[in-house]
Amino acid sequence: LAWQVQVGPDPAFFADLVEVRDFIEPRAAEIAAERATPEERATLMRLQEEMEAADVDAAASMRVDLALHAAILRATHNGLLAQMTEAIITALGASPVSAFRGSGGPESTNRAHRLVVEAIERADPAGARESMEALIALTAREAGRVTTATDVDGRSATGRNT
């Protein structure tokens, strides 16, 4: 996966990444809402606040964004998922910074992340799942905007069926 970070945006890679995120992250957010410790919930809120504070620095915001996603995955307390976290975060790191920022500016992505974090904080599994689904949809649209050779779900450039 690390090579993907160096070669830049590839529509097929992003389409695969969106699928994997869709498989894993909504359920992980749901489980994190059920299992996160008070300390993990506090860490998620701190990371959210750091991401919002870094909104003028896209690279710093992206680093905190990745840390936030890793913390959500770890808060599931699933040993196998914990082992997969590094691979997932490396794949997310291959996304262009602009996909993390959103066409609505940092406010749109910050708000989407905040909804996930707040649902986990209030132990709302359904809210966490739904918020994460919305966040992934937002970033998928942004990745599609960045890699203009793709359609909405990123599959047209690959020749694969949706």
Side-chain angles (χ1 to χ4, degrees), residues 32-100:
E34 296 169 347
R35 298 180 184 169
T37 65
E39 294 79 16
E40 289 166 328
R41 293 174 202 279
T43 295
L44 291 172
M45 279 306 257
R46 178 184 53 77
L47 289 168
Q48 176 63 38
E49 290 165 3
E50 286 180 25
M51 189 166 60
E52 290 170 356
D55 71 359
V56 295
D57 181 346
S61 181
M62 183 174 166
R63 283 190 300 275
V64 179
D65 188 337
L66 294 172
L68 178 66
H69 284 271
I72 291 169
L73 294 169
R74 283 191 301 274
T76 66
H77 297 268
N78 179 302
L80 185 55
L81 187 55
Q83 292 178 27
M84 295 169 50
T85 297
E86 184 176 340
I88 293 166
I89 298 305
T90 299
L92 285 171
S95 300
V97 171
S98 55
F100 282 82

Side-chain angles (χ1 to χ4, degrees), residues 83-131:
Q83 292 178 27
M84 295 169 50
T85 297
E86 184 176 340
I88 293 166
I89 298 305
T90 299
L92 285 171
S95 300
V97 171
S98 55
F100 282 82
R101 302 294 281 181
S103 59
E107 297 81 20
S108 64
T109 52
N110 285 344
R111 183 180 187 310
H113 282 86
R114 179 167 283 283
L115 292 173
V116 174
V117 170
E118 287 175 348
I120 293 171
E121 184 179 45
R122 68 177 180 271
D124 176 4
R129 173 186 276 279
E130 292 165 7
S131 296

